[in-house]
Amino acid sequence: MRKTIAIIGSGFSSLAAACYLAQQGNDVTIYEKNATIGGRARQFQKEGFTFDMGPSWYWMPDVFERFFQDFSKKPSDYYELVKLNPAYRVYFGINDFISIYDNLEDIKASFEEIEKGSAQELQKFIDKAKSNYDIAIKDLVYRPGVSPLELITKETALKLNQFLGNVSADIRKKFKNERLVQILEFPVLFLGAKPSKTPSFYNFMNYADFGLGTWHPKTGMFDVIRGIEKLALELGVTIKTNSSIEKIIVENKTATAIIINGEKIETDIILSGADYQHTETLLEKEHRAYSEKYWESRIFAPSSLLFFIGFNKKIENISHHALFFDTDFNQHAVDIYDHPKWPDSPLFYANFPSKTDLTAAPDGMESGFFLIPLAPGIEDNEKLREEYFEKIITRFEQITQQQIRNNIIFKMSFCKNDFVADYNAYKGNAYGMANTLLQTAFLRPKLKSKKVRNLYFTGQLTVPGPGVPPALISGKLAAELIQKSLRS
């Protein structure tokens, strides 16, 4: 029977869920509070420059392929991919960097030059990571987090010790060079937690990095948003922007309507891809499944300070993706997770999409954005933003041996306060809830409300966790639960 389904938000998980639900014959409408779709994956354009405002790494291409395959489509039906080589560089000092190439053999050769015997160790490490990837990404993450029994399979039983150890300890047993250690610890930062707090099993992220490579949609990550939007529209989904949800109406413990811009819209099912904690504040208190104390006790992934910058010249000595690990990696992690404060010497990430996509900047110019991971809930003001821009731009100029600050045409910052204002993000987090051992699978907030019938959730605060591929999977899982309830 055809049902009306209202979806809150238009990020990756919401768009994915909308496609699945429309495919089943439902009347699906997406309501987005902002003027454009994409959620954190929005696009920003100014003076001929184009920026992805959120995700900029296209990893796990098989997850995207599986998503489109569910609709008898391929990613190439909607966007074109370029494999980056180098995938990224990690900078440790003045013109001192390690390039991560687009194939494992070249990466192994780079490791061997730095630490004798490390190529063989890396091969063994990646083989184990691939085994975990095959179990996790092809099976476990497609389970809805309803029961702990979902995690108990013949394969996971054989890897029980990997849920008890941690990624950092495993890496340090095999590699002694601190640079190589930091490179191998980097991918799990996408999961939102310190490598020392991330279960060993999650080393599958290293296979996603070294085994599958880093890709770039031809004109940016927003290509993917546009592609899924096009698919959704083809399936009959309606998308309405500038539609901020003010309240969720509950009658007899059943969600029956939403209030948008003062208008009551009745619906059979409500699915929220917006911030989970914020969505529950749209309910009366007795209908909320998770208390403020609960959210306060969770470990959240970092927030970020971002700068979107247009340069009037080409930037030299830099790759598309660049990580600046020229300061203390561990101290910055402490400043985010253990004793939250603005870091004295932050690591940072720089992205120059116009190195790959010539449409991202006018001829002879460069678009770039810089990101500093920060503790969520931290103080945020313009003075601090400028202070930290000076810190990183000074280091960038020193390390890459060039002057660029006088070539800035414009600069826009985005930080914790903006994550709250634009996305209703709890404590201004950028990436959701960290995937620690006690915040994995069935231990995350549920896809289905425990207190209100016909109310569901999707996205980075629920199953399976942070990141773009998990967001697509989350949308599928939520849609499957809804479809199951409609059949029963």
Side-chain angles (χ1 to χ4, degrees):
M1 182 178 175
R2 188 179 182 88
K3 297 289 186 179
T4 59
I5 300 175
I7 298 180
I8 304 172
S10 64
F12 278 106
S13 58
S14 292
L15 287 169
C19 291
Y20 287 110
L21 291 166
Q23 184 186 47
Q24 294 297 315
N26 297 297
D27 182 2
V28 180
T29 302
I30 291 173
Y31 298 94
E32 166 58 52
K33 76 181 283 287
N34 293 311
T36 59
I37 67 164
R40 284 169 168 79
R42 290 183 300 163
Q43 189 180 71
F44 168 58
Q45 294 180 316
K46 184 172 181 177
E47 297 181 26
F49 295 86
T50 302
F51 305 88
D52 288 313
M53 292 190 69
S56 58
W57 296 75
Y58 191 103
W59 275 10
M60 304 183 190
D62 51 319
V63 174
F64 295 86
E65 290 163 8
R66 183 167 171 176
F67 168 76
F68 283 104
Q69 190 176 48
D70 285 341
F71 304 92
S72 301
K73 302 287 187 179
K74 304 184 296 293
S76 59
D77 293 331
Y78 296 95
Y79 55 88
E80 184 179 338
L81 287 173
V82 178
K83 193 174 189 183
L84 299 182
N85 190 28
Y88 56 92
R89 285 178 181 169
V90 185
Y91 288 78
F92 296 97
I94 296 174
N95 279 327
D96 176 12
F97 59 83
I98 297 173
S99 292
I100 303 301
Y101 296 104
D102 67 347
N103 66 90
L104 184 57
E105 289 307 310
D106 284 347
I107 297 170
K108 284 163 57 180
S110 295
F111 270 51
E112 190 68 21
E113 284 182 15
I114 295 167
E115 182 178 318
K116 188 172 177 57
S118 63
Q120 184 178 357
E121 289 296 338
L122 181 61
Q123 183 65 63
K124 289 189 289 187
F125 185 77
I126 296 300
D127 287 345
K128 182 181 284 188
K130 181 182 186 302
S131 173
N132 289 353
Y133 188 92
D134 289 341
I135 294 169
I137 303 303
K138 295 178 181 178
D139 183 16
L140 290 185
V141 293
Y142 285 91
R143 301 184 181 197
V146 173
S147 164
L149 297 178
E150 293 172 4
L151 298 180
I152 301 173
T153 67
K154 182 172 71 174
E155 291 82 4
T156 56
L158 295 172
K159 294 179 177 285
L160 181 61
N161 65 320
Q162 292 193 46
F163 288 93
L164 303 176
N166 69 76
V167 167
S168 183
D170 287 355
I171 291 170
R172 291 174 184 276
K173 285 175 189 172
K174 296 178 177 294
F175 303 92
K176 303 306 176 190
N177 184 278
E178 192 63 26
R179 295 182 176 193
L180 301 186
V181 168
Q182 289 180 9
I183 289 170
L184 288 167
E185 287 182 339
F186 154 67
V188 301
L189 297 179
F190 283 106
L191 301 173
K194 291 168 65 175
S196 60
K197 297 293 185 182
T198 303
S200 302
F201 184 75
Y202 282 106
N203 69 15
F204 65 70
M205 292 295 292
N206 293 104
Y207 175 71
D209 182 2
F210 290 179
L212 297 175
T214 301
W215 301 76
H216 185 70
K218 189 174 181 181
T219 60
M221 286 292 287
F222 198 69
D223 284 0
V224 189
I225 290 290
R226 281 200 198 97
I228 303 176
E229 176 196 28
K230 184 179 179 186
L231 173 61
L233 294 174
E234 290 167 353
L235 292 165
V237 175
T238 299
I239 301 175
K240 296 185 178 182
T241 54
N242 296 310
S243 299
S244 181
I245 312 297
E246 297 163 3
K247 189 176 180 63
I248 296 173
I249 303 298
V250 176
E251 298 173 356
N252 298 321
K253 297 184 178 180
T254 302
T256 60
I258 50 179
I259 304 294
I260 299 178
N261 301 329
E263 179 187 357
K264 181 179 180 181
I265 298 173
E266 295 185 349
T267 185
D268 296 314
I269 301 285
I270 298 170
L271 170 62
S272 178
D275 181 274
Y276 202 125
Q277 184 270 344
H278 168 73
T279 302
E280 287 218 312
T281 67
L282 302 176
L283 298 163
E284 298 294 342
K285 207 161 189 177
E286 66 267 24
H287 300 312
R288 300 172 191 172
Y290 300 97
S291 66
E292 190 60 33
K293 185 177 179 182
Y294 170 85
W295 294 113
E296 188 65 37
S297 70
R298 299 301 89 185
I299 297 173
F300 274 80
S303 185
S304 297
L305 169 57
L306 301 107
F307 295 99
F308 302 94
I309 304 173
F311 296 95
N312 66 6
K313 71 170 186 177
K314 285 293 182 184
I315 309 300
E316 300 175 351
N317 307 327
I318 199 70
S319 58
H320 181 126
H321 294 295
L323 303 168
F324 287 79
F325 286 2
D326 55 307
T327 59
D328 191 331
F329 185 101
N330 294 316
Q331 183 57 50
H332 192 160
V334 167
D335 293 340
I336 293 174
Y337 297 103
D338 300 337
H339 305 291
K341 72 181 189 73
W342 282 79
D344 293 327
S345 300
L347 282 72
F348 67 95
Y349 158 63
N351 178 319
F352 295 91
S354 47
K355 292 293 181 188
T356 304
D357 170 18
L358 298 181
T359 70
D363 288 346
M365 301 187 187
E366 206 88 84
S367 62
F369 80 76
F370 296 75
L371 181 154
I372 303 173
L374 297 172
I378 205 165
E379 179 187 3
D380 172 23
N381 58 56
E382 287 300 322
K383 183 173 180 292
L384 282 165
R385 295 186 190 193
E386 282 304 305
E387 178 185 335
Y388 276 77
F389 178 72
E390 286 302 314
K391 284 177 184 277
I392 64 171
I393 206 68
T394 297
R395 282 166 47 203
F396 182 91
E397 289 183 328
Q398 291 171 346
I399 290 167
T400 62
Q401 293 289 278
Q402 62 192 311
Q403 297 293 314
I404 64 170
R405 75 179 71 215
N406 293 332
N407 299 98
I408 294 173
I409 298 172
F410 71 85
K411 170 169 63 73
M412 184 186 85
S413 66
F414 196 95
C415 196
K416 185 212 79 175
N417 292 347
D418 302 300
F419 280 101
V420 173
D422 287 9
Y423 312 128
N424 295 308
Y426 182 71
K427 291 188 175 181
N429 79 84
Y431 307 108
M433 189 184 291
N435 261 349
T436 61
L437 180 60
L438 297 179
Q439 294 182 174
T440 292
F442 67 97
L443 295 173
R444 297 180 73 80
K446 301 300 182 186
L447 290 162
K448 183 177 182 179
S449 172
K450 295 186 289 185
K451 289 194 172 184
V452 179
R453 288 186 293 272
N454 296 346
L455 176 61
Y456 296 81
F457 299 85
T458 187
Q460 59 187 9
L461 292 189
T462 182
V463 179
V468 175
L472 292 179
I473 295 167
S474 185
K476 176 174 181 159
L477 294 174
E480 287 175 344
L481 280 183
I482 292 170
Q483 290 158 10
K484 182 179 178 181
S485 73
L486 294 178
R487 288 194 298 265
S488 61

